[in-house]
Amino acid sequence: MTIANSVVLADNAFGTIGSGLAVGDTALAFTSGHGARFPAVAAGQVLYCCITNANNIIEEVAVTAHSSASDSATMLRGQGSTTAKAWSSGDRIE
């Protein structure tokens, strides 16, 4: 794994997942318009987020690529001592 040169921070960024995620997926689709709530993440940067559901299951992810206002992102799964899980459309990311 490549270590990021800088961490991107966002105050209270949240949204929902636009389509389900399987355990091995690294491409994230936000619900339409929700990607604009998150900052851009360029090469060498990382934005740490948590995905959660109504049962309070949590997975920490590292977003490694996201364009400003885009509803898609690339991420590394199972960060911060969590494991990659399957997620449903509408689950929360923050």
Side-chain angles (χ1 to χ4, degrees):
M1 176 174 88
T2 302
I3 296 176
N5 293 327
S6 63
V7 175
V8 176
L9 302 174
D11 190 23
N12 297 320
F14 73 94
T16 55
I17 297 171
S19 60
L21 292 171
V23 171
D25 289 345
T26 58
L28 170 69
F30 292 101
T31 298
S32 182
H34 288 200
R37 299 174 180 178
F38 292 83
V41 180
Q45 296 180 324
V46 64
L47 170 67
Y48 291 101
C49 296
C50 286
I51 301 173
T52 186
N53 62 19
N55 296 320
N56 291 321
I57 305 298
I58 295 173
E59 177 187 349
E60 186 177 322
V61 299
V63 175
T64 57
H66 177 253
S67 297
S68 182
S70 171
D71 283 330
S72 63
T74 303
M75 62 186 170
L76 298 172
R77 305 286 303 272
Q79 302 296 295
S81 299
T82 63
T83 57
K85 297 169 181 58
W87 298 100
S88 300
S89 176
D91 284 341
R92 188 172 169 103
I93 182 167
E94 49 191 56

